[in-house]
Amino acid sequence: MTMIQILIQRLAQEILQELFDKNQKQYKKIEKAIDELTQKGLSASNIKKLTGTKNIFRKRAGRWRILFTVEGEIFKIWIIAMEKGTKQDYLKWIFYIQKT
């Protein structure tokens, strides 16, 4: 089995640090989801490709979403955010990822 390399971008690192400091339960849930990505790649559970994008995916971890891109065996996690349920939030995140 191929091991996936996870690169956590600055914004996602800041969010993880804040969760680590303030909400260990949610932090552990997200940590488990990232570990699953490392082990299974796109075969992990609760993954969807975001509509209208070339290589942007989201992984659901409870009420949280992990947005990442895939370049070969390298997964770049761009943002970890609470699901707000609006298409506009996803469009904002997609725009953020595509411009960086």
Side-chain angles (χ1 to χ4, degrees):
M1 177 177 7
T2 304
M3 190 70 119
I4 304 298
Q5 181 181 3
I6 303 286
L7 301 176
I8 301 177
Q9 304 302 309
R10 192 181 81 207
L11 180 59
Q13 286 177 345
E14 291 170 5
I15 294 166
L16 278 176
Q17 184 62 52
E18 186 173 329
L19 281 172
F20 181 81
D21 294 340
K22 296 180 180 177
N23 191 335
Q24 279 289 311
K25 183 179 178 182
Q26 291 301 318
Y27 174 83
K28 290 190 183 303
K29 187 178 285 192
I30 291 168
E31 183 180 50
K32 183 178 176 182
I34 292 172
D35 287 344
E36 184 183 9
L37 273 178
T38 303
Q39 298 298 318
K40 297 181 178 179
L42 291 176
S43 299
S45 62
N46 297 314
I47 290 180
K48 280 190 178 180
K49 183 176 180 289
L50 296 184
T51 305
T53 67
K54 180 179 172 186
N55 67 340
I56 302 175
F57 297 82
R58 72 99 174 118
K59 176 163 178 49
R60 189 169 52 88
R63 293 182 59 206
W64 290 81
R65 301 299 183 264
I66 301 167
L67 272 64
F68 63 95
T69 55
V70 178
E71 299 169 12
E73 295 174 6
I74 299 174
F75 284 37
K76 291 183 182 177
I77 296 176
W78 292 91
I79 190 164
I80 299 165
M82 177 70 78
E83 174 67 306
K84 294 183 182 163
T86 67
K87 186 176 180 178
Q88 193 168 8
D89 286 326
Y90 274 114
L91 292 175
K92 176 182 69 176
W93 295 330
I94 291 167
F95 178 75
Y96 169 79
I97 292 168
Q98 290 177 335
K99 76 174 182 140
T100 52

